Amino acid sequence: MPGRCVNPAASHPPPLNSHGGRSPPGAATLEEITLDAHGSEDPHGSEAADGIRDALSPNGAYDYSAQFTQLAVDLVPELDAEAMLLFVLLARVARVTSYDFESTVHRPAALNYSSFFVVALLAVDGPMEGSRLASASGMSRAAVSAVTKTLHRDGWILRTPSTRDGRSVVLSLSPEGHSRIPALFRRLNAREQQWAGALSTADRTELVRLLRQLAGGAPPDIHSRA
């Protein structure tokens, strides 16, 4: 369908709870974010960098997404602007919230997003071999190996030989790891509630329904690349 004009000032969503402060150690750098957004180093210097920084602020996510979409449609008029805006905005909101959760919940517990995801999976699903953990988390086996070595060093998990395959290791939460999980989940859920407070109960239900519908309509070849 022909591209349609996207006005950043139109239908502006209510602002989400703001979060400020400097980037925590280990968070994505501005250069990495710029590369992620544009696919190459931005040639426009500090002005463009300020735009990316704004895109990571809660109130800037929509404006950035609408502006990005409009510029793309200006370049290639036949683009479907609505579809592009949907996915650019989804990616922006995911990045903003993930950054916030890492800053306010994961880092204070000496974790990052990946290590938190691993301990959360082990807490919910129970012990599993590294290959299954890689599949469940969507991480490579090499990444799982690196993350779990650090978690083992820090007392979060145990590594025991598999009785099924002597070459494999079964990963499980340590007693100390189990004891840390409830407080960690409570802190995360408290932050989730703050973000979700921008929506009514009905809006949350509808958003979950729409996201489930979107996920269910994945292109037929998606699983061949997963």
Side-chain angles (χ1 to χ4, degrees):
M1 64 179 275
R4 286 201 259 170
C5 179
V6 179
N7 180 2
S11 304
H12 201 295
L16 298 173
N17 298 310
S18 61
H19 172 70
R22 294 181 178 274
S23 299
T29 65
L30 180 60
E31 291 74 18
E32 289 169 339
I33 294 162
T34 304
L35 287 170
D36 176 67
H38 296 282
S40 61
E41 292 197 5
D42 196 317
H44 301 297
S46 61
E47 181 179 349
D50 287 340
I52 300 300
R53 196 176 287 115
D54 289 344
L56 287 179
S57 70
N59 294 334
Y62 176 82
D63 289 341
Y64 169 87
S65 302
Q67 182 182 32
F68 180 95
T69 301
Q70 183 62 67
L71 292 172
V73 171
D74 288 345
L75 288 172
V76 187
E78 66 269 23
L79 294 178
D80 183 337
E82 289 181 346
M84 177 174 283
L85 177 60
L86 169 63
F87 285 98
V88 173
L89 184 55
L90 276 174
R92 286 295 100 190
V93 173
R95 177 64 69 95
V96 170
T97 53
S98 295
Y99 175 85
D100 180 62
F101 295 154
E102 187 166 46
S103 301
T104 60
V105 179
H106 306 158
R107 290 292 173 185
L111 299 170
N112 57 29
Y113 180 83
S114 296
S115 55
F116 170 81
F117 195 30
V118 166
V119 297
L121 280 173
L122 293 176
V124 173
D125 288 347
M128 62 183 80
E129 293 182 1
S131 58
R132 182 175 163 227
L133 182 57
S135 177
S137 65
M139 299 165 60
S140 68
R141 292 192 185 189
V144 165
S145 178
V147 169
T148 55
K149 283 180 181 177
T150 301
L151 290 171
H152 181 257
R153 182 200 66 194
D154 293 343
W156 277 95
I157 68 172
L158 300 174
R159 297 162 55 93
T160 56
S162 171
T163 56
R164 183 188 65 81
D165 182 352
R167 299 169 298 175
S168 299
V169 172
V170 175
L171 305 164
S172 61
L173 286 181
S174 66
E176 184 179 359
H178 273 292
S179 70
R180 297 174 183 175
I181 286 292
L184 188 62
F185 277 15
R186 290 188 191 103
R187 286 198 299 273
L188 175 62
N189 189 240
R191 198 65 176 179
E192 290 168 337
Q193 289 178 65
Q194 287 182 286
W195 279 95
L199 303 175
S200 68
T201 300
D203 286 341
R204 296 184 211 181
T205 301
E206 178 65 4
L207 180 58
V208 170
R209 185 190 71 79
L210 291 171
L211 290 173
R212 183 177 180 183
Q213 182 176 334
L214 180 65
D221 61 337
I222 183 68
H223 298 296
S224 66
R225 296 194 301 267

